[in-house]
Amino acid sequence: MDAHDSLLAGCRVLDLTDEIGLFASKVLGDFGADVIKIEKPGGEPSRSIGPFYQDIPSPEKSLYWFAFNTGKRGVTLDIETSDGKDIFIRLVRGADFVIESFPPGYMDSLGLGYSPLSSANPRIILTSITPFGQSGPYRDYKAPDLVVWALGGMLSTCGDPDRAPVRISFPQAYLHAGAEAAAATMIAHYHRETTGEGQWVDVSAQQSVEVTT
């Protein structure tokens, strides 16, 4: 298939995610979107996740990083600075999607929440991926992949009935969250194509795991 015939040909994604959301932007990239991975100075911490090429730990040799960032372009930008915010807003004006996985309220605290992004680009779709969503009693809780897997109910299916649950060797909950985020973003994209309106997509990793049970 020619690149111009791809589902999201001509669309641009600004990727502000860590490991909980890297898969979501990769899916959109596989659909033909131009994905720009935005890393803070010093690099995205997910670069430290192994395994590593030739077993040499290095932010430039993470096979995990390679797997979920293939096809993406990259840029270093500190969105906590005044100049960084201005540059990000300029990027938003030419983008179709922003995907982020910061704690609830972080983007708002920087003046980069959905309202200012929508003011800069009314068609923008902001997809936020967090462990427990933007509201509710667990919204501010941190949760590694294993905790989300357990609280989503899936850990109870792993292992033998007469033993304690065991984890699957490769992270699972975050991949479900990324897949659900990509699907929800595409639904928002369809809505935008029919109405011209962007929107804010709120994705809970725990709920993404529950959907699959």
Side-chain angles (χ1 to χ4, degrees), residues 3-185:
H4 296 292
D5 295 327
S6 300
L7 185 62
L8 292 179
C11 292
R12 175 168 293 170
V13 181
L14 303 180
D15 180 0
L16 290 169
T17 65
D18 57 8
E19 62 264 33
I20 196 173
L22 290 175
F23 185 53
S25 54
K26 184 184 186 308
V27 171
L28 299 188
D30 290 343
F31 285 164
D34 173 26
V35 182
I36 300 177
K37 181 71 188 81
I38 298 175
E39 297 185 67
K40 63 183 181 180
E44 163 61 41
S46 300
R47 287 179 175 272
S48 65
I49 299 176
F52 298 95
Y53 178 64
Q54 295 183 335
D55 293 326
I56 301 174
S58 166
E60 301 299 328
K61 295 180 180 292
S62 168
L63 298 180
Y64 182 96
W65 175 264
F66 291 160
F68 294 112
N69 290 283
T70 54
K72 301 178 185 179
R73 297 193 289 161
V75 64
T76 299
L77 184 65
D78 187 353
I79 62 173
E80 293 186 346
T81 67
S82 179
D83 287 344
K85 293 176 190 177
D86 290 342
I87 293 171
F88 183 71
I89 288 294
R90 291 205 301 270
L91 289 172
V92 167
R93 292 192 181 108
D96 301 277
F97 309 95
V98 173
I99 305 181
E100 60 93 7
S101 57
F102 295 114
Y106 176 80
M107 292 287 282
D108 282 326
S109 72
L110 298 180
L112 297 175
Y114 178 68
S115 181
L117 297 190
S118 180
S119 294
N121 180 356
R123 289 177 56 85
I124 199 70
I125 292 171
L126 171 63
T127 300
S128 299
I129 310 169
T130 56
F132 304 108
Q134 298 294 313
S135 61
Y138 283 20
R139 70 182 294 269
D140 295 319
Y141 285 19
K142 296 181 180 180
D145 184 90
L146 180 61
V147 171
V148 176
W149 196 241
L151 288 175
M154 288 298 287
L155 191 60
S156 64
T157 68
C158 302
D160 300 317
D162 59 341
R163 298 175 57 195
V166 295
R167 70 171 299 173
I168 299 173
S169 59
F170 196 80
Q172 296 293 312
Y174 286 177
L175 293 182
H176 283 282
E180 295 293 337
T185 300

